[in-house]
Amino acid sequence: MSIQVNRLSDPTVRAFVTAVNSHDQAAFQAVLTLDATMSDDGSDRNIADWTEREIFSSNGHMDVENESDGGRTLVVSYRNDTWGEMRTKWRFDVDGDKVSRFETGQA
């Protein structure tokens, strides 16, 4: 059973997931620091290229299964038009009210 996005503990992570699920690129950019970084399965990626391919142009969606670390680590059933559905883990570094780094990969 998934956790409703509005019930996620960390407000910055909640804003990130909301932006992903609503395909709102402006809101997504607004929740990231200017120098934010990310990795996918342990390899650093270019955020703009990766998010365009894996989230925005492929209808990415996060169904959060559980959270830990004060809401900064999520296990997610993630789906998009490219890869279908997969169980993933997301870890967030938050600076103030913005995500400075996120790491995702197979859970």
Side-chain angles (χ1 to χ4, degrees):
M1 182 168 200
S2 62
I3 300 171
Q4 293 177 338
V5 175
N6 65 349
R7 300 191 80 127
L8 293 174
S9 299
D10 187 281
T12 303
V13 173
R14 185 181 326 124
F16 180 100
V17 175
T18 298
V20 168
N21 288 352
S22 63
H23 306 110
D24 186 338
Q25 287 180 299
F28 183 83
Q29 290 299 319
V31 79
L32 299 177
T33 63
L34 292 176
D35 60 348
T37 60
M38 61 93 43
S39 70
D40 182 9
D41 282 328
S43 296
D44 280 0
R45 306 285 185 196
N46 176 285
I47 289 180
D49 292 342
W50 189 91
T51 57
E52 177 57 31
R53 184 178 60 255
E54 301 293 337
I55 297 174
F56 297 109
S57 69
S58 62
N59 298 307
H61 189 86
M62 302 172 79
D63 286 321
V64 179
E65 294 178 11
N66 65 61
E67 64 177 357
S68 58
D69 189 29
R72 294 192 178 171
T73 300
L74 307 176
V75 174
V76 171
S77 177
Y78 186 79
R79 68 182 178 275
N80 67 24
D81 294 344
T82 304
W83 304 108
E85 190 165 329
M86 65 193 87
R87 195 164 190 253
T88 57
K89 185 174 185 176
W90 297 69
R91 193 184 71 71
F92 298 89
D93 292 338
V94 176
D95 183 6
D97 63 350
K98 301 213 182 264
V99 171
S100 60
R101 180 171 178 81
F102 68 92
E103 299 172 354
T104 186
Q106 299 278 338

